[in-house]
Amino acid sequence: MHDSYWIRTMPPWTDRPSGEGSLPYDVCVVGGGAMGASTAYWLTQLGRRPLVLERNDTPGQGASGRNGGFMVQGANPVHAEAVELYGHDEARSLYRMTQVNQELAEAVVQRENIHGAYTRATKVDLAFDEREEAYLRESVTPLRHEGVDAFWVPRSEVAEFLGTGVGSHISGGLVRRDQATLHSTRFVLGIADAARRHGATFVCKSPVIEIVPRNQGWRVVTETQVYDVPQVVVAVNAWAPELLPDLEPFLTLIRGHLLLTEATDLRLSPWSINDTATYGRQVPSGQLLVGGMRSAVSDADIGQKPRAGESGLDTRPAIVDALRRVLPDILPTTEGLGVDYAWAGVMDFTPDRLPLAGPYPGREGLWLMVGFSGHGMPYSLALPRALAEACVEPERSTLPTVLNPTRFLG
């Protein structure tokens, strides 16, 4: 099992003495990935004292440190499909939240001096077949009405925006200029460190064993400590059913694979093919990161779970081989480019591919932020901010109703 590129190149994280046993905490955040770190950050901005409990050695080593490093706009499906699935108003609201997310990312990385974590980028969504082309073309008009710099280009013009030509089976692509890429662990650790500077306490190597109601609050139990707090935010994504078994029917665990090539002189924009869940981008070293191709196996890599104490998964040769083959098939100029290594992580998909974000029904003071369906970074600042505000003033919550956990747990 290999660590990801992001974990191999992550900045140092130094545990600081916190004296956590003697402090009263307003909120306990379970999970120190992108969502947990960001929730802690926003809670400190609202004058609260959060405690973050993270099972790994540092924040950002779970799903947040094993992804593709994209901060794109929109919900998980392409926009036209999102309109079909969720309705025009909800799809528009979700798209706007991800736009706000980018605005917040730019502001926070500048304000908190988080270097090398965030980069603006043009992204090209490639059409693999007629169905996908139709969705991408249909997305252009509503996106432009929202002020998004989006347009369709035929295959002959894709190279102008992608940086290289595409295979003959690609008919064209939806181009959006105002997207972004991340160095995932630099981003998460930067947010976490900023949260610490503003008053949050992070306790790593501290897996939570149990969360139980107590008086008018909650008791959070780890292997070595017990914390009594008024509120708890569960932000552990695929690991949530271990603490809250009622979530298991609504969170499907899926293994995701990525590989890293040798460095290339090509200079490519990020790209994706929605129907095959395949995507790629260039990392600062000049290497290409390519992920997806779950369709290469009959079980679509469903139901995979890391071993106890681990955050990654072993790779499957069939999917790694499929990723090797698909890259020159999509981008012919990468033919012969060697592969450095591959890694795998775990995602949790909800039935509608939207996260569960909001109060746990019937359990006052317990909040959920899980089920991101491989699409967490686009929400990673805006949604935690809304949830942090709801923790402080529930009656003024701006959490999107379409994400309310009551749609499954009500």
Side-chain angles (χ1 to χ4, degrees):
M1 181 175 66
H2 292 289
D3 277 332
S4 72
Y5 169 82
W6 313 118
I7 293 174
R8 291 185 179 201
T9 60
M10 68 190 299
W13 171 270
T14 303
D15 281 329
R16 300 175 182 173
S18 60
E20 77 273 344
S22 62
L23 294 175
Y25 296 107
D26 302 305
V27 183
C28 177
V29 181
V30 182
M35 299 301 165
S38 184
T39 300
Y41 176 80
W42 292 118
L43 284 168
T44 65
Q45 302 303 294
L46 295 168
R48 297 303 190 265
R49 187 193 301 274
L51 166 70
V52 182
L53 299 176
E54 167 56 43
R55 63 192 295 272
N56 290 297
D57 293 346
T58 74
Q61 288 196 44
S64 297
R66 301 174 189 276
N67 55 31
F70 288 89
M71 186 178 278
V72 296
Q73 296 173 0
N76 183 301
V78 296
H79 189 65
E81 186 179 3
V83 171
E84 285 186 6
L85 292 171
Y86 317 128
H88 179 270
D89 289 345
E90 296 292 5
R92 178 183 180 184
S93 173
L94 292 170
Y95 203 98
R96 180 55 188 153
M97 171 170 273
T98 59
Q99 289 177 306
V100 170
N101 195 78
Q102 280 189 228
E103 295 166 6
L104 291 173
E106 292 184 349
V108 171
V109 298
Q110 181 176 8
R111 180 168 67 239
E112 304 295 348
N113 296 312
I114 305 171
H115 300 293
Y118 174 94
T119 305
R120 280 270 184 169
T122 293
K123 183 171 182 285
V124 185
D125 297 308
L126 299 170
F128 189 77
D129 56 26
E130 291 181 357
R131 175 179 175 274
E132 190 155 18
E133 179 176 341
Y135 274 132
L136 293 175
R137 283 180 174 273
E138 289 168 14
S139 297
V140 172
T141 298
L143 289 177
R144 292 184 72 85
H145 282 165
E146 298 301 324
V148 178
D149 187 4
F151 49 94
W152 170 264
V153 295
R155 182 169 66 89
S156 60
E157 298 177 22
V158 165
E160 178 182 348
F161 303 96
L162 183 60
T164 189
V166 292
S168 60
H169 56 292
I170 304 294
S171 61
L174 171 67
V175 179
R176 289 179 293 166
R177 287 197 174 99
D178 296 328
Q179 308 300 301
T181 59
L182 302 172
H183 186 297
S184 299
T185 54
R186 285 187 179 276
F187 180 74
V188 175
L189 290 179
I191 299 295
D193 199 46
R196 287 199 303 191
R197 292 196 303 272
H198 294 299
T201 295
F202 281 71
V203 181
C204 296
K205 294 179 284 190
S206 187
V208 172
I209 299 171
E210 190 178 27
I211 301 172
V212 293
R214 181 180 182 274
N215 298 331
Q216 295 184 342
W218 293 87
R219 171 160 287 179
V220 182
V221 182
T222 73
E223 293 177 347
T224 59
Q225 288 278 356
V226 174
Y227 303 94
D228 292 324
V229 291
Q231 299 189 83
V232 176
V233 177
V234 175
V236 292
N237 222 29
W239 288 265
E242 295 179 5
L243 297 174
L244 303 169
D246 290 349
L247 294 176
E248 189 166 358
F250 311 110
L251 296 178
T252 299
L253 303 191
I254 296 180
R255 173 166 37 191
H257 284 71
L258 301 98
L259 64 76
L260 198 70
T261 72
E262 299 171 335
T264 173
D265 291 334
L266 294 169
R267 290 296 173 260
L268 303 181
S269 297
W271 55 269
S272 66
I273 298 177
N274 194 58
D275 271 4
T276 57
T278 307
Y279 53 89
R281 57 162 293 193
Q282 198 157 27
V283 297
S285 62
Q287 297 165 282
L288 302 184
L289 181 155
V290 186
M293 288 305 292
R294 295 190 300 275
S295 58
V297 294
S298 60
D299 59 11
D301 242 6
I302 293 172
Q304 304 300 318
K305 183 179 179 180
R307 293 183 289 269
E310 296 184 355
S311 295
L313 289 160
D314 293 332
T315 55
R316 295 180 73 172
I319 297 183
V320 175
D321 288 343
L323 286 171
R324 285 193 180 100
R325 294 193 305 269
V326 79
L327 181 57
D329 187 47
I330 297 169
L331 308 178
T333 52
T334 64
E335 183 71 49
L337 192 61
V339 172
D340 195 347
Y341 59 92
W343 68 90
V346 63
M347 303 171 283
D348 58 342
F349 278 68
T350 61
D352 58 8
R353 288 187 283 172
L354 291 178
L356 297 167
Y360 198 113
R363 304 187 188 183
E364 185 176 354
L366 182 61
W367 301 82
L368 293 177
M369 198 157 44
V370 300
F372 285 90
S373 304
H375 199 70
M377 288 302 192
Y379 298 104
S380 56
L381 281 163
L383 192 55
R385 183 178 69 168
L387 192 135
E389 291 170 347
C391 287
V392 174
E393 295 186 85
E395 67 281 0
R396 299 179 62 183
S397 174
T398 59
L399 286 165
T401 56
V402 71
L403 306 184
N404 196 303
T406 55
R407 69 187 193 277
F408 298 128
L409 298 168

